Amino acid sequence: MAAARTDALVDRVGEVLAARALADADTPALLMVSGGSDSTALAYIACDLRERGMLGQLAMLHVNHQLRGADADDDARFVARLAELLNIPLFSCDIDIAGEARRTGENVEAVARRERYLAANEALESLCLHAAAPLADGRILTAHTSDDRVESFYMRSIVGTGPGGFRAMKYRNGPVVRPLLDASREELRAYVSEREQAGAPVACDGEGNLWREDATNAHTDRFRAYVRHEIVPRAKERNPQLLEVLGRTMNLIADEDDMLERMVDELMAGHVEALGDDYGAGCVLAPAFGAEPLPLRRRAVLRALQLMLGRDARVETASVEAVLAAFDEGADGKPRGGYVTNIQGDLAVSANKHGVRIEPMAAYRARRKRA
């Protein structure tokens, strides 16, 4: 019975991979494994999928953030045992996240995420090279669950979000894919436990645990942990099927978001021009841009600013609104000649009859000086 239940979960994950075209038999897949229950389950499931011919060559990545002392070292040892058990090559690295956060003045969680994905992209490049596959064909698999997705939904509900934000997490975002988004944390823990009951080989830590627990996940002073332990349980009291129901809702939002993003692709192709080979030097919004529907203009400006400021930059709502304000509010939405303002990233926004220009302030001043 336990074996049948574990097979059923693997079947479901395989269906997600196939239905959403996330990966196939030729896809080199890098598994991000922390040693927690979710990523441990991901490692077992990925191995089963590889044996079924639904994934290509595998490798694992473990990043020791050096934030939890001996516990973090024990996590690394557990992941090494897991990789050896499953005969999966392991990339492992230690990064002084706290030190890097002090150096840059950034949030520890943000630094950890950035460094983790930098390491993942380097490891993926090595995996694809070894598999003789183009880097574009490789995927980074994470163990985000339906619980994580619901938590992100509530976090964004509390602090606010931009266009498409309430889809919470994408099944695929560039090379990163999340094949477990339709599975709950409870299901994954049951899956790992049932593997042991069915007699399948499993890894254990020094105390015989089937996965590692991160005690900091219970600290409610951290925003996600607060939502996880205070908000979501109360919502589940009103609707025990919360994960499934809200997951369907977020997928409906995602379908509409994808449609709008395709429309933005067309809008940008026709009305937005980069100043140079890419958006590093800025861009110009054509006069006709202002006559397009506001929701599409808002998304297009957001995308343009993301391209200018960097993928991980948090684009401020005030910056988007400042660009939109460079066009008249009338039906024709003509550029407001003489409009000039400064937005985040020390970017200048200026308007004339030829359109609205977004560029680094230094470039704007140099251009004005020449004029």
Side-chain angles (χ1 to χ4, degrees):
M1 181 66 74
R5 285 195 296 266
T6 58
D7 284 344
L9 180 59
V10 176
D11 289 341
R12 282 171 50 202
V13 176
E15 288 168 4
V16 170
L17 287 176
R20 297 184 176 275
L22 301 179
D24 58 31
D26 298 321
T27 303
L30 178 73
L31 316 176
M32 298 187 73
V33 182
S34 67
S37 58
D38 302 344
S39 63
T40 298
L42 173 66
Y44 291 131
I45 291 170
C47 275
D48 286 346
L49 291 172
R50 180 186 60 185
E51 291 174 4
R52 296 183 184 190
M54 300 185 72
L55 275 177
Q57 191 165 328
L58 302 180
M60 286 168 53
L61 169 68
H62 177 77
V63 179
N64 184 343
H65 295 153
Q66 299 184 343
L67 293 172
R68 296 169 42 247
D71 284 341
D73 295 336
D74 288 341
D75 292 348
R77 279 188 282 272
F78 170 76
V79 173
R81 290 190 189 117
L82 180 63
E84 183 177 9
L85 173 76
L86 298 176
N87 194 29
I88 299 178
L90 172 65
F91 296 92
S92 183
C93 60
D94 297 347
I95 303 175
D96 181 9
I97 296 298
E100 181 66 10
R102 285 193 299 270
R103 187 184 69 80
T104 63
E106 296 175 273
N107 176 277
V108 168
E109 284 78 10
V111 172
R113 182 185 184 282
R114 184 185 69 236
E115 294 297 325
R116 193 163 57 243
Y117 280 99
L118 283 172
N121 280 287
E122 289 180 6
L124 181 64
E125 185 174 358
S126 178
L127 171 61
C128 289
L129 185 64
H130 188 267
L135 180 58
D137 291 351
R139 298 290 182 267
I140 298 168
L141 271 60
T142 72
H144 292 103
T145 66
S146 57
D147 297 78
D148 294 310
R149 197 180 186 198
V150 165
E151 289 160 11
S152 292
F153 179 91
Y154 281 110
M155 290 168 72
R156 294 176 183 186
S157 299
I158 293 169
V159 303
T161 187
F166 284 121
R167 71 187 296 164
M169 287 183 175
K170 296 182 178 181
Y171 288 87
R172 179 181 174 187
N173 187 14
V176 178
V177 299
R178 303 180 174 99
L180 306 184
L181 275 190
D182 292 341
S184 70
R185 188 171 296 121
E186 182 180 354
E187 286 181 293
L188 294 177
R189 291 187 171 203
Y191 163 81
V192 176
S193 297
E194 288 166 1
R195 274 184 64 92
E196 182 185 39
Q197 295 168 18
V202 293
C204 297
D205 69 3
E207 298 178 357
N209 299 308
L210 297 175
W211 59 78
R212 298 285 300 165
E213 292 286 1
D214 183 350
T216 61
N217 286 335
H219 294 174
T220 55
D221 58 338
R222 297 190 177 188
F223 189 23
R224 181 174 291 276
Y226 168 75
V227 170
R228 178 176 300 174
H229 298 293
E230 300 290 337
I231 304 298
V232 174
R234 295 195 178 196
K236 285 183 176 179
E237 289 176 4
R238 299 299 298 264
N239 183 2
Q241 304 302 315
L242 177 73
L243 298 185
E244 180 182 349
V245 170
L246 196 49
R248 286 200 301 267
T249 299
M250 287 185 282
N251 282 341
L252 291 174
I253 294 172
D255 287 344
E256 296 181 0
D257 183 55
D258 289 340
M259 179 189 72
L260 288 168
E261 286 298 295
R262 289 191 293 271
M263 296 172 71
V264 170
D265 290 341
E266 296 176 3
L267 186 155
M268 294 193 69
H271 298 317
V272 183
E273 182 179 359
L275 295 170
D277 294 335
D278 55 32
Y279 279 73
C283 65
V284 176
L285 313 181
F289 181 92
E292 295 292 333
L294 178 59
L296 296 182
R297 282 188 284 137
R298 185 180 290 119
R299 284 172 175 262
V301 170
L302 175 62
R303 188 188 297 182
L305 292 178
Q306 284 174 331
L307 290 168
M308 292 185 67
L309 295 170
R311 184 188 182 105
D312 294 329
R314 187 180 183 87
V315 178
E316 298 169 0
T317 300
S319 297
V320 175
E321 294 302 320
V323 176
L324 294 174
F327 293 91
D328 286 333
E329 295 182 0
D332 55 3
K334 293 181 179 179
R336 295 170 54 194
Y339 178 93
V340 178
T341 192
N342 179 243
I343 61 173
Q344 71 180 106
D346 201 25
L347 297 177
V349 181
S350 59
N352 59 33
K353 64 181 181 180
H354 301 295
V356 173
R357 193 180 183 103
I358 312 171
E359 61 190 327
M361 181 59 73
Y364 169 77
R365 287 174 176 157
R367 189 165 55 80
R368 293 287 293 176
K369 187 175 181 179
R370 289 194 301 272

